[in-house]
Amino acid sequence: SVCISLESILGEMDVKQTKIVESLKKEFETNDRTIRDRLKEITESKKVLKDANGNDCHLEKYKDGKETFWKLVPIIESDNDVGKEE
């Protein structure tokens, strides 16, 4: 699946969008538009992915200058749980 491939590609580092799109295009034998749409779907639905350490993450896109990158961002427990005593 695209999610498993993303987990493998991203691992522990941020990756340029062009690299992700090209890699997924080859693997799934499809076009740029389909891959970009799927990435958008995964991001908007907050699909849970795993990073290289097995932590639950969300896929996130960001820009650095003119380059677009993708990264896995660890899911942090909600602020409601912070400071609660057990």
Side-chain angles (χ1 to χ4, degrees):
S1 81
V2 172
C3 293
I4 292 170
S5 295
L6 281 171
E7 292 170 345
S8 168
I9 294 167
L10 290 167
E12 295 180 349
M13 62 184 167
D14 302 358
V15 179
K16 284 185 185 180
Q17 177 167 284
T18 52
K19 181 177 179 184
I20 288 177
V21 170
E22 286 305 311
S23 180
L24 293 174
K25 267 176 45 178
K26 282 182 190 173
E27 184 173 345
F28 294 99
E29 299 176 356
T30 191
N31 61 36
D32 282 30
R33 185 66 180 174
T34 301
I35 296 300
R36 290 173 198 269
D37 287 348
R38 186 68 179 118
L39 291 170
K40 183 178 177 184
E41 242 176 69
I42 292 167
T43 304
E44 289 177 352
S45 69
K46 297 286 188 189
K47 178 97 175 133
V48 177
L49 304 171
K50 300 280 186 187
D51 65 13
N53 298 317
N55 299 312
D56 289 345
C57 297
H58 290 299
L59 181 64
E60 188 174 285
K61 177 170 86 170
Y62 71 94
K63 284 194 164 266
D64 185 4
K66 293 183 178 183
E67 295 285 346
T68 301
F69 292 84
W70 290 87
K71 64 181 177 178
L72 293 176
V73 179
I75 299 171
I76 300 171
E77 291 184 32
S78 72
D79 292 340
N80 296 338
D81 294 336
V82 174
K84 280 188 177 177
E85 293 184 25
E86 295 189 28

